[in-house]
Amino acid sequence: MQTSDLSLRERNRADTWERIHNAAAELALELGWTATTIDMIATQAGISKRTFFNYFPSKEDAILGALEPSIPDAALAAFYKSDEDLIHRTVTLTLAVMRASYPHEAGRTRRQKLIQRMPELSSRLKHLSMGFERVIEPVVLGEVKRIGEETQQQFRNTPEDAAHALTLYALTIIRFAFTKNPASLSEEGDAAVSSAITIFREVIQSSTWLS
């Protein structure tokens, strides 16, 4: 979690969040899912159980170091300001939401190890994935409607279908990029994501030879 531009109060909160996450992840790796309890996490982090729930709604989120998906203000402003096409903008917005949901960049490798070892985390990961769709799709829908009105573009299906398809398409591109390079979700992963966008465009544009 980046703390350089935060106030003292925000830095203290970020430090506490990171301390809880580190305690949860380390205990889970050492003891396993079942043996790791919220009481143990709180004790190792040096906080009360009540404080734990001020930072994380569940043991799963603490272990993953996950935040409920939301759109950063800067990412939303960039989405509207960008001159890129809507596919590229949707991918960029989705990536920003995913990065904000997993702010502890240093724990990326550890998180992957935890996910591989603990199938109990799968339901929470699915919930988070659905959360990405839930916050991104309304923004994309608004832009689809705006573009349709300005260009008089007639969709074969509904704008809602177009927005849903774009959102799922963006998530698929990012997942593809991640399978090729796990660092894609980091700030240094922009090139890998851009490459994935290019690959998907080329495949779709050349799809006639796939039929």
Side-chain angles (χ1 to χ4, degrees):
M1 181 176 290
Q2 298 295 323
T3 60
S4 57
D5 297 326
L6 303 179
S7 68
L8 177 60
R9 181 177 181 182
E10 290 170 330
R11 285 200 301 273
N12 287 338
R13 181 169 179 81
D15 288 344
T16 301
W17 184 96
E18 188 168 330
R19 196 165 68 249
I20 298 170
H21 166 51
N22 282 334
E26 289 165 6
L27 284 167
L29 283 174
E30 179 185 353
L31 303 176
W33 169 262
T34 303
T36 300
T37 67
I38 291 176
D39 285 331
M40 294 170 64
I41 294 169
T43 297
Q44 180 147 323
I47 59 166
S48 67
K49 189 173 181 179
R50 179 176 180 180
T51 298
F52 174 94
F53 286 110
N54 287 337
Y55 286 83
F56 292 99
S58 67
K59 180 173 74 172
E60 293 93 332
D61 282 1
I63 291 173
L64 287 169
L67 297 175
E68 196 67 26
S70 64
I71 301 177
D73 291 341
L76 187 60
F79 174 83
Y80 289 125
K81 185 178 180 180
S82 174
D83 293 327
E84 298 284 357
D85 64 30
L86 189 53
I87 290 174
H88 195 286
R89 288 193 288 146
T90 302
V91 172
T92 302
L93 181 66
T94 303
L95 187 59
V97 172
M98 296 176 91
R99 286 173 175 170
S101 293
Y102 296 105
H104 191 239
E105 179 60 31
R108 184 178 66 246
T109 301
R110 183 177 61 190
R111 183 182 302 115
Q112 286 305 114
K113 188 182 296 185
L114 285 160
I115 291 170
Q116 291 169 0
R117 289 188 184 181
M118 299 178 184
E120 295 89 349
L121 296 173
S122 60
S123 62
R124 185 54 182 161
L125 289 167
K126 182 178 180 179
H127 173 82
L128 289 167
S129 180
M130 292 173 63
F132 299 145
E133 294 180 37
R134 186 174 60 253
V135 299
I136 294 164
E137 192 168 318
V139 176
V140 177
L141 175 59
E143 198 69 352
V144 167
K145 289 181 176 179
R146 181 191 68 78
I147 293 171
E149 291 172 358
E150 290 184 358
T151 63
Q152 298 300 305
Q153 176 70 43
Q154 297 295 319
F155 295 102
R156 291 184 179 180
N157 296 300
T158 66
E160 288 76 13
D161 283 343
H164 188 52
L166 275 169
T167 302
L168 293 178
Y169 186 53
L171 285 165
T172 300
I173 288 173
I174 293 172
R175 287 171 183 149
F176 174 81
F178 182 79
T179 61
K180 292 180 68 66
N181 181 0
S184 297
L185 292 184
S186 71
E187 296 294 338
E188 294 76 30
D190 289 347
V193 175
S194 293
S195 175
I197 294 174
T198 299
I199 291 171
F200 271 71
R201 288 188 192 278
E202 290 176 350
V203 169
I204 290 174
Q205 289 170 2
S206 305
S207 61
T208 52
W209 57 264
L210 294 174
S211 61

